[in-house]
Amino acid sequence: MSKHKKISPPEKSFISEGVAQNCRNDGRGRLDYRPFFIQTGVISQANGSARVTLACTTVVVGVKAELGGPTPESPDKGIVNVHVSRWDNVGKEDDISSLRYLVQGMCSRLDRKLLCLRQGKNCWILYVDVVIFHEDGNLQDAVSMCTRAAIFDTRIPRVTIIQSQESKDDYELELNDDPNVALTLSVHEFPVTVTFTKIGENQIVDATMEEELCMSSRVIVGVNINGNICHVQKEFGSLSYLALQQVISASRKLGSTLLKQMDSQLQNQKKSVDVVPNLFFN
Amino acid sequence: MNRELLSPEGLRIDGRRPNELRTIRCKMGVLEKMDGSAYFEQGNTKALASVYGPREVTYKSKALHDRVLINCTYGMAPFSTGERKVQRTGKQDRRETEVSLVLKQTFESAILTSLSPNSQIDINIQILQADGGTRCAAINATTLALIDAGIPLKDFVVACAGGCIDGVPILDLNYFEDSSGSPDLPVALLPQSGEVLMVQMDSKLPLDTFENVLNLAIEGCQKIYVQLKQVVSQVTKERVQNRGAFIFS
């Protein structure tokens, strides 16, 4: 397991010189993404699921909806509970907790009022489970794309509240299993992240595993389709204010390209519903 | 209640005959960074196994001087079951710990442990979807992963579960049949010698019924062995040909 991989100084300088000349190890420019593929509906018993492969990085997100009670602070909103883990539960815990913070931040963009059934009494609790199968750099963007796709795929059954005739407090919740009338959550405003990794004096996007070992700082910017900045997370290292501004303006363009590509892949998914996609058989 | 499980024509709820296995699909070498990995599907039960080793022992005090140390971790993904499974990162619940131990003991008898003393083999199994027969699917997936990693084994380890409805022995229970009170008898064996490595049961059965169910489960294991052998020989053929050697068959 190459979780605690080390990189030699000559290799490090080769990578940073390549980045400075806008030619990375795999031939990409500094602001080029690797190809990614999205598949939705990969877990049949989840309300929504998606798998994203960004080169070799593979992430699967499953969304399950269960009935529960809302928190006393927001009685008119549902709850979104995020859990991130590696599929074999082995490896560094710090990446996991920062990913969890990232996904939780993104999921706070969802309109949780849609998840409320009876104010103060019943609501839907969405469990968003992110499972990382394979790491090959840039987990953050893969995880954010996968979460967005899984939420796009989520179908929550419609609930009718039947008031009991004897007492006003007694009621029954009837779930409608028909997928055509199921509640869907709009991902139009949902952001996607663009992760900038600083190597030497330059910023690159979509770092590979080796490039991540040479980085001095990282900024994760969440952008949505309107070009609004939804989330900024800076991890270790230091960045000049000018560099930060450049990063944020670059992220809007890159983010909108990513979102367009994502949306076209998601629309194509919708058409081919007959073949049930499988996690490992393509 | 048992009438629903077995129809008057002798068909089970999913249309299978009592001695019929569910469809099996498997793939070896699914995770690139692992020494060995395999994905095994039996009906709706899906298991993913990965093997890392033989490698240096992580805790020197646990090293065994004459054989390899086997670490086995069995886990279930939070979305694997009908109701979401609460998972605390890094910790296993009681059932997972028990199954991990059973799997470790099973594979200690199948792997040629004396060939790699002072080393360790890490086996990790995740159930991605649970629909009955999860520990059997885990064992079958692990066998394929060990073969993919090139770890010397005495033989394939194949596992299958048997049960009983209304006195009729049935093979390969799904979740519904398992939870409706049928006894669950998972069996693991080395198919060529017929040696049984694991037998477990958690309910009451009269002795002759038990023998019938056990024999049926062993028959099921042999059927699975035929399928696994086919997959392995196909994969081996491809790999040998990719290296430039040709097999004349």
Side-chain angles (χ1 to χ4, degrees):
Chain A
M1 255 142 2
S2 46
K3 298 276 176 343
H4 308 286
K5 207 175 174 184
K6 289 193 186 137
I7 199 165
S8 65
E11 209 175 334
K12 238 182 188 170
S13 69
F14 183 78
I15 290 176
S16 52
E17 279 177 34
V19 165
Q21 292 176 33
N22 203 21
C23 181
R24 292 151 73 172
N25 275 4
D26 48 10
R28 285 186 287 155
R30 286 193 286 264
L31 300 179
D32 290 335
Y33 261 84
R34 289 171 291 183
F36 63 87
F37 295 103
I38 306 176
Q39 248 188 330
T40 51
V42 286
I43 301 163
S44 42
Q45 73 277 30
N47 293 76
S49 59
R51 175 182 80 143
V52 162
T53 36
L54 178 66
C56 284
T57 304
T58 311
V59 175
V60 171
V61 173
V63 178
K64 277 182 103 81
E66 287 187 3
L67 290 168
T71 56
E73 297 91 49
S74 350
D76 59 340
K77 290 187 185 160
I79 301 173
V80 177
N81 197 310
V82 175
H83 181 88
V84 182
S85 59
R86 290 198 169 88
W87 78 278
D88 51 3
N89 283 321
V90 175
K92 287 192 269 192
E93 288 291 319
D94 340 313
D95 319 343
I96 297 296
S97 41
S98 79
L99 279 170
R100 197 191 161 278
Y101 173 71
L102 174 69
V103 180
Q104 188 89 56
M106 286 174 62
C107 289
S108 64
R109 317 291 326 152
L110 291 170
D111 186 4
R112 290 182 292 148
K113 289 208 176 93
L114 289 171
L115 301 174
C116 178
L117 295 169
R118 274 181 108 238
Q119 185 139 346
K121 299 270 171 56
N122 300 97
C123 69
W124 282 110
I125 305 179
L126 276 188
Y127 290 102
V128 177
D129 293 304
V130 180
V131 180
I132 301 161
F133 277 94
H134 216 274
E135 283 174 78
D136 193 24
N138 201 12
L139 263 183
Q140 293 77 17
D141 294 354
V143 164
S144 77
M145 282 197 268
C146 203
T147 312
R148 185 169 186 268
I151 305 247
F152 172 81
D153 187 54
T154 304
R155 304 279 177 271
I156 303 171
R158 286 270 177 208
V159 176
T160 4
I161 300 166
I162 306 167
Q163 198 95 44
S164 157
Q165 267 147 19
E166 291 97 46
S167 94
K168 233 187 164 185
D169 290 329
D170 264 339
Y171 52 89
E172 260 179 36
L173 296 171
E174 194 180 286
L175 268 75
N176 189 343
D177 278 332
D178 186 0
N180 296 324
V181 299
L183 176 69
T184 57
L185 296 163
S186 161
V187 287
H188 190 73
E189 304 280 312
F190 203 84
V192 83
T193 58
V194 180
T195 304
F196 285 85
T197 310
K198 186 174 170 197
I199 295 183
E201 295 302 313
N202 308 96
Q203 300 277 352
I204 55 166
V205 289
D206 194 18
T208 61
M209 198 77 149
E210 291 82 29
E211 288 167 344
E212 279 184 352
L213 290 165
C214 313
M215 67 177 164
S216 50
S217 109
R218 177 156 72 192
V219 184
I220 306 166
V221 185
V223 191
N224 76 2
I225 204 125
N226 301 331
N228 295 333
I229 306 292
C230 303
H231 185 98
V232 179
Q233 195 174 320
K234 201 201 146 302
E235 294 182 345
F236 59 87
S238 66
L239 209 59
S240 73
Y241 182 56
L242 181 64
L244 189 62
Q245 280 181 315
Q246 287 171 342
V247 152
I248 290 184
S249 59
S251 68
R252 298 172 89 183
K253 210 172 73 177
L254 288 167
S256 74
T257 322
L258 267 186
L259 283 164
K260 282 202 191 85
Q261 289 173 341
M262 262 196 83
D263 284 338
S264 72
Q265 284 200 34
L266 288 174
Q267 290 304 317
N268 289 340
Q269 291 280 311
K270 251 186 170 171
K271 290 172 195 161
S272 57
V273 188
D274 327 302
V275 181
V276 177
N278 187 288
L279 275 177
F280 287 99
F281 294 92
N282 286 341
Chain B
M1 192 257 289
N2 282 341
R3 270 210 197 272
E4 302 167 9
L5 294 170
L6 203 60
S7 77
E9 297 94 44
L11 293 175
R12 291 147 75 175
I13 37 166
D14 49 8
R16 284 188 286 155
R17 295 234 148 253
N19 61 350
E20 217 180 296
L21 284 172
R22 289 176 289 183
T23 327
I24 289 174
R25 282 205 297 175
C26 38
K27 205 172 187 189
M28 285 167 67
V30 289
L31 297 169
E32 285 143 27
K33 293 207 169 144
M34 288 287 151
D35 285 340
S37 58
Y39 172 74
F40 180 86
E41 243 183 53
Q42 190 163 1
N44 281 330
T45 299
K46 299 175 181 163
L48 177 67
S50 81
V51 167
Y52 192 57
R55 62 195 276 249
E56 219 182 296
V57 189
T58 39
Y59 296 108
K60 292 282 190 300
S61 55
K62 290 195 177 163
L64 300 165
H65 68 280
D66 58 347
R67 50 190 209 278
V68 75
L69 177 70
I70 298 175
N71 285 332
C72 190
T73 328
Y74 167 95
M76 293 179 81
F79 41 70
S80 61
T81 48
E83 258 181 43
R84 185 197 174 251
K85 182 181 173 293
V86 179
Q87 203 182 44
R88 288 172 302 158
T89 321
K91 293 208 180 103
Q92 294 180 301
D93 69 24
R94 261 177 259 155
R95 182 182 170 270
E96 288 174 338
T97 323
E98 184 251 326
V99 179
S100 306
L101 187 62
V102 167
L103 258 48
K104 174 185 146 99
Q105 289 170 343
T106 307
F107 283 99
E108 269 173 355
S109 319
I111 296 175
L112 294 169
T113 50
S114 51
L115 291 180
S116 327
N118 279 318
S119 341
Q120 128 180 343
I121 295 176
D122 291 327
I123 302 173
N124 201 302
I125 305 135
Q126 273 290 94
I127 300 293
L128 304 173
Q129 197 171 329
D131 188 22
T134 50
R135 68 187 72 193
C136 299
I139 290 177
N140 295 329
T142 309
T143 300
L144 290 175
L146 287 167
I147 293 172
D148 187 44
I151 289 174
L153 296 169
K154 284 183 196 161
D155 193 356
F156 280 60
V157 183
V158 274
C160 192
C164 180
I165 301 173
D166 283 342
V168 177
I170 52 169
L171 189 61
D172 193 12
L173 303 131
N174 59 25
Y175 180 73
F176 189 72
E177 290 167 338
D178 194 354
S179 56
S180 323
S182 160
D184 181 27
L185 190 78
V187 172
L189 55 81
L190 299 176
Q192 289 180 55
S193 57
E195 268 180 51
V196 174
L197 295 182
M198 173 193 83
V199 174
Q200 285 186 307
M201 195 177 75
D202 54 2
S203 51
K204 288 192 290 197
L205 269 185
L207 195 58
D208 42 3
T209 321
F210 172 77
E211 277 178 21
N212 291 340
V213 175
L214 183 64
N215 286 331
L216 185 62
I218 291 175
E219 258 179 54
C221 288
Q222 295 289 0
K223 286 186 201 170
I224 296 180
Y225 170 56
V226 166
Q227 296 205 29
L228 291 187
K229 206 162 65 144
Q230 206 177 21
V231 170
V232 169
S233 70
Q234 201 179 355
V235 169
T236 315
K237 221 186 208 178
E238 279 171 34
R239 288 184 187 179
V240 167
Q241 283 179 346
N242 285 341
R243 284 184 152 198
F246 295 98
I247 301 175
F248 297 97
S249 56

